[in-house]
Amino acid sequence: MIRIGLIGFGRTGKEVARELLLDQSVHLVCVFKYHDTYVVDQEVGWVLGLDNTGAKIALARDFEEVIQKEKPDVIIDFAAKRSIIQYLPIISQYNINVVVCSTGYNKEQIDSLKEYGEKVGIIHAPNVTDGINILAALCKQVKENWPEADISLIETHFSGKRDVSATALKLVESIRDTEDIKVGRKKDSIREDNEIVIHKVRLGGVIGQHQIIFGNPYQTITLTHNSISRRAFGRGAIRAAHWIYGKKGYYTMDDVINS
């Protein structure tokens, strides 16, 4: 049974923790939060209304102390707008593998992940769900067989989300060659050659929907992925944790899906 540590206990992190507690193939041993709230030092199971399993919620400032005590095999990172980079020296020191599901990393930070991939196993997965990664593979197939098609993407998320989703960027990056990637379209503007436009929709409490539309003058193909529950991230993270267990190197979810 793989011992798992989880960084992040927000909306998504809680659902990931729930899946980790319910899955018999892994053992959640610790959870880290960045901010001190009433849940710190509490049993994860108690907070989520499940049976207690001994895993407690700790502050990230106590990271090394908890790691020494609980000895996880794999760390899963779901901390919003935070960087796991600062913990990589500790993670590599204790020979722990990592599934990085947080987003917003720049090139320098990704280079750091790749560098530490020489010491431990790292999966960089801005979207760890099976469905999105299968969608990306299907998009590549359509692009290869229909290279002249126009392409647009519509991404729909909850009202409070500001940025273009990392998932939308991942999808268009997976199928671009020389295309210009734009966000939105100005009034009265026409389509330019070889462009991909991402259209943002923000509605209520929508978790996430991504539609990729391919078209020529006579037909279109639309591929859609809907996130029905954030627990899908937990299922994907468990699959990734099993895959990276015992490995070294820097990988993405493409490696997991295609293995």
Side-chain angles (χ1 to χ4, degrees), residues 4-24 26-33 39 42-51 53 55-57 76-78 230-238:
I4 302 289
L6 173 66
I7 301 177
F9 200 64
R11 277 182 299 190
T12 302
K14 287 178 181 176
E15 295 308 313
V16 172
R18 187 182 303 277
E19 285 300 304
L20 290 167
L21 288 177
L22 293 173
D23 193 287
Q24 299 300 309
V26 297
H27 179 38
L28 181 63
V29 296
C30 54
V31 174
F32 296 96
K33 276 181 59 68
V39 302
Q42 301 296 328
E43 289 265 2
V44 181
W46 176 82
V47 174
L48 297 177
L50 301 172
D51 292 339
T53 61
K56 288 191 174 183
I57 301 167
I76 296 173
D77 171 36
F78 267 99
R230 289 184 173 86
R231 292 174 70 171
F233 294 99
R235 300 311 312 160
I238 291 169

Side-chain angles (χ1 to χ4, degrees), residues 13 19 38 40-41 43 49 55 57 87 89 92 96 114 116 128 198-199 214-215 220 231 247 250 252:
E19 285 300 304
Y38 78 96
V40 173
D41 293 330
E43 289 265 2
I57 301 167
Y87 298 113
S92 62
I96 302 167
K114 292 178 179 178
Y116 276 94
V128 76
I198 300 174
H199 301 279
F214 299 84
T220 63
R231 292 174 70 171
K247 291 184 175 69
Y250 173 87
T252 68

Side-chain angles (χ1 to χ4, degrees), residues 153 164 179-185 189-192 195-199:
L153 185 148
V164 174
E179 290 96 343
D180 182 21
I181 297 174
K182 298 179 179 179
V183 178
R185 184 180 294 286
S189 65
I190 62 172
R191 184 178 193 89
E192 298 178 7
E195 73 172 12
I196 298 178
V197 179
I198 300 174
H199 301 279

Side-chain angles (χ1 to χ4, degrees), residues 119-245:
K119 304 174 183 179
V120 296
I122 293 177
I123 295 178
H124 185 206
N127 190 310
V128 76
T129 63
D130 291 344
I132 280 293
N133 289 284
I134 292 170
L135 176 61
L138 291 173
C139 287
K140 290 179 185 178
Q141 185 175 353
V142 174
K143 175 68 175 176
E144 289 169 1
N145 288 278
W146 212 13
E148 74 281 4
D150 297 332
I151 305 171
S152 287
L153 185 148
I154 304 171
E155 60 106 334
T156 305
H157 286 85
F158 60 93
S159 297
K161 184 172 179 60
R162 295 175 180 269
D163 302 333
V164 174
S165 74
T167 300
L169 295 174
K170 168 188 169 61
L171 289 170
V172 297
E173 288 287 350
S174 73
I175 54 177
R176 72 176 299 185
D177 38 41
T178 60
E179 290 96 343
D180 182 21
I181 297 174
K182 298 179 179 179
V183 178
R185 184 180 294 286
K186 293 182 180 179
K187 183 179 179 181
D188 299 329
S189 65
I190 62 172
R191 184 178 193 89
E192 298 178 7
D193 291 339
N194 295 323
E195 73 172 12
I196 298 178
V197 179
I198 300 174
H199 301 279
K200 295 167 53 181
V201 179
R202 298 294 178 259
L203 293 171
V206 175
I207 294 174
Q209 181 188 85
H210 294 85
Q211 291 180 297
I212 302 277
I213 305 171
F214 299 84
N216 69 18
Y218 307 111
Q219 56 192 321
T220 63
I221 295 174
T222 302
L223 301 175
T224 304
H225 176 268
N226 282 299
S227 292
I228 299 170
S229 168
R230 289 184 173 86
R231 292 174 70 171
F233 294 99
R235 300 311 312 160
I238 291 169
R239 177 178 181 176
H242 278 287
W243 191 90
I244 198 64
Y245 179 69

